[in-house]
Amino acid sequence: MTLSLLDGGREGDVALYDIAPGGEHRQRRNGMAYWLMKSEPDEVGIDHLAANPERAFEWTGVRNYQARNFMRDQMQPGDQLLFWHSSCPQPGIAGIAEVVGAVHADSSQFDPASPYFDPKSNPEQPRWQCVDVRFVRKTALLSPAVLRQHPALLEMTVLQRGNRLSITPVTPQQWHYLMENLL
């Protein structure tokens, strides 16, 4: 995945995990949904977003259909995100972001220089979509071990054995528990 500044500046490539088949779906409450999105901090971490708090970042490079479908079919501006640092010595929730742009074609699929270039995609019928996100705030890092100490969070997809999902829904109950007790 690549997060790029919408004014054209790239912030760096991030390798995301493949999405396992079968994802949970949930109903929207009060017009807002909650998500967990993973990124490698040495490529694009919460600090990259924090350095440009007023800018929207295009969440590009997701090349798994389930993750694409979450963005395409369910994410909407106003949705809140747990920003998860992955593939690093200390993985976990590192901050909060929000969806600020409606789903649109992922620009990296058309760029031959991008590792996410897809020669089978075309602008008239793009194969890959993404959303735009913006920084809300950094948090103390919450590791998987800390999250597992809370029974209310044990069903989070990110904590499930063998999980490799890069984008997962977070239930309203899980979100509110995190906000009221840990973040």
Side-chain angles (χ1 to χ4, degrees):
M1 173 203 95
T2 303
L3 288 181
S4 56
L5 294 173
L6 290 184
D7 65 2
R10 288 242 154 142
E11 284 296 316
D13 292 332
V14 176
L16 286 182
Y17 296 104
D18 291 335
I19 302 288
E24 73 181 81
H25 295 272
R26 76 266 183 281
Q27 296 178 346
R28 288 190 168 271
R29 292 191 183 180
N30 301 324
M32 183 186 307
Y34 306 99
W35 303 93
L36 182 145
M37 296 175 83
K38 293 180 180 177
S39 184
E40 295 181 14
D42 60 337
E43 296 292 333
V44 177
I46 195 69
D47 289 333
H48 292 95
L49 275 67
N52 296 285
E54 299 304 316
R55 291 181 136 162
F57 287 78
E58 184 180 20
W59 195 277
T60 64
V62 174
R63 294 297 180 265
N64 176 278
Y65 289 106
Q66 184 176 2
R68 182 220 43 201
N69 293 349
F70 281 145
M71 290 189 286
R72 183 191 70 194
D73 301 337
Q74 296 183 40
M75 286 187 181
Q76 296 180 14
D79 286 358
Q80 300 292 295
L81 313 172
L82 298 172
F83 196 104
W84 183 278
H85 283 174
S86 67
S87 296
C88 60
Q90 296 179 326
I93 298 169
I96 308 295
E98 71 176 320
V99 176
V100 294
V103 67
H104 59 86
D106 175 338
S107 63
S108 67
Q109 68 191 308
F110 307 121
D111 180 0
S114 170
Y116 305 106
F117 175 65
D118 184 346
K120 294 181 181 179
S121 191
N122 67 64
E124 292 78 35
Q125 292 186 320
R127 181 179 294 193
W128 304 107
Q129 285 82 35
C130 64
V131 295
D132 303 328
V133 303
R134 183 176 301 141
F135 175 80
V136 172
R137 67 182 170 94
K138 284 181 70 168
T139 65
L141 185 73
L142 287 179
S143 70
V146 169
L147 295 174
R148 285 188 180 101
Q149 294 173 6
H150 298 267
L153 302 176
L154 291 176
E155 296 300 316
M156 288 183 75
T157 305
V158 73
L159 299 179
Q160 302 310 302
R161 183 177 215 87
N163 172 60
R164 293 176 49 93
L165 297 168
S166 63
I167 298 174
T168 58
V170 174
T171 68
Q173 295 81 9
Q174 293 163 345
W175 180 270
H176 293 297
Y177 184 87
L178 284 163
M179 294 304 122
E180 293 168 10
N181 297 290
L182 299 172
L183 299 172

